[in-house]
Amino acid sequence: MDWTGQLHFGPLKPLEQVDGTLPIEDHGLIGDGMTGALVGRDGAIDWLCVPRFDAPPVFCRLLDRHRGGAFTVAPEHLLESRQSYLDETGILATEMRSPTGLVRVLDALTFHRGSILSDDAQAARGELVRAVEIREGSVRLRIAIDPWRASPIQRQGEAWQIRFADRPEIVLNLHADRPLDGPQTVIELHQGDRINLTLRWNGVEKDDRSTPPLQAIDDTVDAWRRWLGCLSYHGPQKALVRRSAITLKLMDNVENGAIVAAPTSSLPEEIGGVRNWDYRYSWIRDAAFSVYALRRIGLNREARNFLAWVHDVIDQDGGRPRVLYTLDGRQPEPEREDPTLSGYRGSHPVRWGNDAAEQRQHDVFGEIIDCAFQWVRHEDHLSERLWSRLLPLVEAARVEWNEPDQGIWEIRSSGRPFTYSAALCQVALDRGAWIAERLKLPGDIDGWRADAAHLRKTILEHAWDPEQNALTEHIGGEQRSGLDASILALPLRRVVRADHPRMIATTEAIRRTLDAGDGLLYRYRPDHSPDGLPGHEGAFILCSFWLVDNLTLQGRLDEALDLYNSLCARANPVGLFSEQIDPSSGRFLGNFPQAFSQVGVISSGVNLSRALEQGHHDLGEGAAGRPNSARS
């Protein structure tokens, strides 16, 4: 099939490597709801974990260009390239030009025929298809598969088989519909010629092995487009909002609804720095933001599935909830540093696992109770057993809100009473009272409401610094507190109104003091990092979208729309964002793509769309009879 009419490429551009490494932004993501792969503009898949996101990678050249391994399909003497997604899908095309011809590679992690992406735990086929076509001229096509830490590749029938000494349960099989001399070979091809490569791993059923690669791609196209038919959005940056929804879906585990923060590990927040974390897990906070964004554009099944996963995790855990979980709801392995990999552009250490799972972060109380609130609003029920698990979290928020914790930014130094954490404890009390009253469940409803009101007042009074004319990072304390962009999220959680005089002043103070240039914001002052680690970091993309939301809710729609459009223009050519941006160069930093950043595109777009249609005057109001919730 010729998919040309469904691809929308920008201009071909020369490849630019920095320190011998392809920039983060020169990649696209493909996925199947079980795992995700990064495809570089140079034709290399240099990141893939199998069989799922949080498994060890089989390709990780992104973290070590010499030893990490990749699966490359590209012409010799590659000059320039470009990428585009196939319309309304998670299937990626890369076009590459050599001195003699033009090659197109279509990459897909495929789905079974007839898959329903929202409710189909068996949708993923466990295979990667790379469909290659020579579009112009002739090329010498280089095919090279070199997995990380693999045993010698062996011929097995018509396939090349890859095993791993330290992971005997993982077996990869590479099939091609033209003969390959070996796992690293060069083939002479001419205009119109095609070759299809299929990399399969454990669990592919026998009847699926006979499905032709192009048919598997067609089945995957069909699944994506039927899923996207539920999406409803007609506001600013419509194409990018739809792409962001697809990107979040690429990070959604079809087995149970868990959503990973990002599909990668250890991409640095500063080149040469040490803030290199493993994000291949499901943070309650990040996923709750993701679910809320998806629900606002009509993707309710994803919201329901994630909320069910949260409920199951809390019910099974039994004790104090963790900040993050593996995709199957377990505690991650202890964080460790990997000395065998040099890191992206020499940024080490490379880390597997994340010790933030052991941190105290009091905002998790509010995130979980708010998830339950969303569930009740749409399902109108909650089991008594689950409520028995949730009720202690409301009580914990009541007494722990002023105790030190590691906060939303997961500092690796001693804790402190963060304003954002206290604000989310207020959310827990507010939503908990609503749930108990709505469903006639046991709980101190009047007391929780009184405590929620008191906590809101405490934040407004004791987080306020008259010298900085802003609500600050901490509540009270003897030492002067710094500014923190997370305060911009308080109106979004309906803790403080966006048009409250102190919130308006805080917005301006953050905009001025945390300015990284051209609308970008640091999450805190680079020279006053609270995390106890050396070095600096880039501008945090989501914080700028929070600024858009505050401007919108304050009625400053022209400013908000200008900023929103400028931020959206920073997406890479296929509509993806990393966690951070280097203000000096505009290059991406941090794990990629980042769910938080794509959430910002969606949520700010929805807020602006509603404000432009209805006027700003009622956007900060809580509906009568409902908690003062951003998610109502």
Side-chain angles (χ1 to χ4, degrees):
M1 178 178 179
D2 186 356
W3 289 283
T4 301
Q6 302 172 39
L7 294 164
H8 305 282
F9 290 102
L12 287 157
K13 294 182 178 180
L15 286 175
E16 179 185 1
Q17 293 189 337
V18 184
D19 300 330
T21 301
L22 198 66
I24 295 170
E25 59 269 20
D26 279 358
H27 291 82
L29 175 71
I30 58 174
D32 62 2
M34 289 291 291
T35 189
L38 293 187
V39 185
R41 201 157 58 85
D42 59 355
I45 290 178
D46 52 16
W47 182 267
L48 173 64
C49 301
V50 299
R52 66 184 205 182
F53 294 103
D54 53 3
V58 293
F59 305 119
C60 59
R61 191 186 67 175
L62 203 57
L63 297 182
D64 191 316
R65 64 190 180 96
H66 298 297
R67 290 171 291 184
F71 180 9
T72 302
V73 177
E76 288 188 328
H77 310 298
L78 175 58
L79 298 176
E80 52 187 8
S81 65
R82 59 188 178 182
Q83 290 185 315
S84 170
Y85 280 106
L86 197 61
D87 281 349
E88 309 284 70
T89 76
I91 299 171
L92 186 70
T94 306
E95 287 194 343
M96 296 166 280
R97 184 176 294 283
S98 73
T100 58
L102 180 69
V103 180
R104 177 185 296 167
V105 180
L106 203 65
D107 284 304
L109 286 165
T110 62
F111 296 117
H112 293 288
R113 178 177 296 183
S115 293
I116 303 172
L117 301 190
S118 295
D119 289 308
D120 192 347
Q122 304 300 318
R125 292 166 55 96
E127 71 173 18
L128 164 68
V129 172
R130 313 200 72 184
V132 185
E133 179 186 4
I134 309 305
R135 301 289 297 176
E136 298 175 10
S138 61
V139 301
R140 286 174 53 81
L141 187 73
R142 184 170 67 91
I143 300 171
I145 184 165
D146 180 27
W148 181 50
R149 300 172 63 176
S151 301
I153 300 174
Q154 303 291 329
R155 186 82 182 184
Q156 187 74 21
E158 297 180 355
W160 291 94
Q161 190 170 90
I162 303 160
R163 293 182 176 272
F164 301 82
D166 59 342
R167 299 176 65 201
E169 74 280 7
I170 298 299
V171 180
L172 306 180
N173 289 282
L174 176 63
H175 301 260
D177 55 12
R178 285 176 177 254
L180 298 180
D181 293 336
Q184 301 195 34
T185 189
V186 175
I187 301 175
E188 184 88 27
L189 296 173
H190 306 277
Q191 183 171 340
D193 285 348
R194 297 175 180 266
I195 179 171
N196 299 304
L197 304 162
T198 304
L199 184 67
R200 297 190 175 106
W201 43 93
N202 313 58
V204 178
E205 298 296 332
K206 183 177 180 180
D207 59 344
D208 282 324
R209 294 182 184 276
S210 60
T211 302
L214 298 186
Q215 180 62 56
I217 291 178
D218 275 342
D219 295 343
T220 304
V221 169
D222 178 65
W224 275 113
R225 291 181 178 163
R226 284 189 293 114
W227 171 78
L228 203 62
C230 299
L231 190 150
S232 176
Y233 177 80
H234 302 286
Q237 299 285 344
K238 181 178 177 180
L240 188 61
V241 168
R242 293 177 74 86
R243 176 53 52 194
S244 293
I246 294 171
T247 305
L248 289 179
K249 186 62 179 173
L250 287 167
M251 293 185 271
D252 176 22
N253 182 16
V254 294
E255 285 189 313
N256 55 23
I259 299 175
V260 295
T264 57
S265 175
S266 301
L267 293 180
E269 298 172 15
E270 177 189 27
I271 300 302
V274 299
R275 293 177 178 85
N276 317 321
W277 313 114
D278 191 346
Y279 276 14
R280 301 169 304 142
Y281 303 106
S282 188
W283 269 254
I284 299 295
R285 176 195 310 118
D286 296 39
F289 271 100
S290 301
V291 164
Y292 172 52
L294 291 173
R295 171 167 276 156
R296 297 182 81 191
I297 55 176
L299 300 174
N300 293 320
R301 287 182 175 178
E302 281 63 34
R304 188 183 190 281
N305 292 345
F306 170 71
L307 296 176
W309 177 81
V310 170
H311 291 177
D312 288 344
V313 165
I314 299 304
D315 195 30
Q316 295 168 13
D317 204 345
R320 185 185 182 90
R322 299 184 185 278
V323 176
L324 64 103
Y325 294 87
T326 62
L327 298 181
D328 54 7
R330 302 179 185 277
Q331 180 182 358
E333 293 294 321
E335 183 176 297
R336 65 181 179 86
E337 298 181 2
D338 190 338
T340 69
L341 295 171
S342 62
Y344 176 82
R345 292 180 55 191
S347 303
H348 56 83
V350 168
R351 293 184 174 94
W352 309 118
N354 197 308
D355 280 348
E358 299 295 333
Q359 289 185 350
R360 293 175 65 88
Q361 295 180 28
H362 297 150
D363 70 300
V364 73
F365 302 140
E367 301 293 0
I368 291 172
I369 301 302
D370 199 35
C371 283
F373 161 69
Q374 291 186 65
W375 177 273
V376 172
R377 285 206 58 222
H378 289 268
E379 305 292 333
D380 206 31
H381 73 86
L382 197 69
S383 72
E384 292 185 7
R385 174 183 169 85
L386 180 56
W387 180 245
S388 71
R389 302 288 197 197
L390 297 177
L391 192 151
L393 305 186
V394 184
E395 288 293 338
R398 191 180 206 176
V399 299
E400 295 185 30
W401 64 266
N402 63 343
E403 296 179 6
D405 74 341
Q406 268 60 50
I408 183 176
W409 306 132
E410 301 182 346
I411 63 172
R412 295 286 175 121
S413 55
S414 60
R416 60 204 75 178
F418 284 101
T419 302
Y420 181 86
S421 298
L424 268 289
C425 288
Q426 192 275 345
V427 168
L429 291 161
D430 179 70
R431 306 326 185 249
W434 186 91
I435 293 169
E437 182 177 62
R438 171 81 175 185
L439 300 181
K440 297 179 172 55
L441 294 168
D444 182 10
I445 296 173
D446 291 339
W448 291 342
R449 284 199 174 127
D451 287 343
H454 173 72
L455 188 44
R456 177 183 291 111
K457 182 179 179 182
T458 299
I459 290 168
L460 283 169
E461 293 179 355
H462 295 284
W464 177 258
D465 183 343
E467 292 185 26
Q468 299 181 81
N469 199 34
L471 296 168
T472 58
E473 176 181 51
H474 307 140
I475 292 182
E478 297 179 359
Q479 294 184 341
R480 185 178 182 186
S481 183
L483 294 183
D484 184 338
S486 69
I487 305 301
L488 294 174
L490 268 57
L492 311 182
R493 314 311 294 269
R494 302 289 171 96
V495 177
V496 177
R497 286 182 57 95
D499 58 0
H500 189 288
R502 291 195 168 182
M503 196 65 225
I504 293 174
T506 299
T507 301
E508 290 308 302
I510 287 175
R511 195 176 191 181
R512 180 179 62 254
T513 305
L514 302 184
D515 176 43
D518 296 325
L520 296 175
L521 292 178
Y522 295 109
R523 48 184 172 173
Y524 36 70
R525 283 182 57 184
D527 56 340
H528 290 284
S529 170
D531 63 12
L533 297 173
H536 303 287
E537 63 177 31
F540 203 86
I541 297 171
L542 180 62
C543 295
S544 292
F545 283 114
W546 285 343
L547 176 57
V548 171
D549 295 331
N550 277 265
L551 295 174
T552 300
L553 293 170
Q554 291 167 15
R556 301 158 66 178
L557 298 187
D558 289 342
E559 290 179 76
L561 187 58
D562 286 347
L563 177 57
Y564 181 67
N565 287 332
S566 73
L567 293 172
C568 290
R570 291 182 177 274
N572 80 350
V574 292
L576 307 184
F577 285 94
S578 61
E579 180 183 38
Q580 300 182 18
I581 289 178
D582 181 344
S584 63
S585 66
R587 293 200 177 279
F588 284 3
L589 294 170
N591 284 305
F592 170 83
Q594 177 80 3
F596 250 178
S597 301
Q598 309 292 159
V599 163
V601 175
I602 297 172
S603 291
S604 295
V606 171
N607 287 337
L608 272 167
S609 177
R610 292 180 177 179
L612 293 168
E613 290 176 1
Q614 303 171 5
H616 71 276
H617 57 278
D618 62 347
L619 287 177
E621 302 287 349
R626 295 177 182 169
N628 197 22
S629 168
R631 302 183 179 195
S632 57

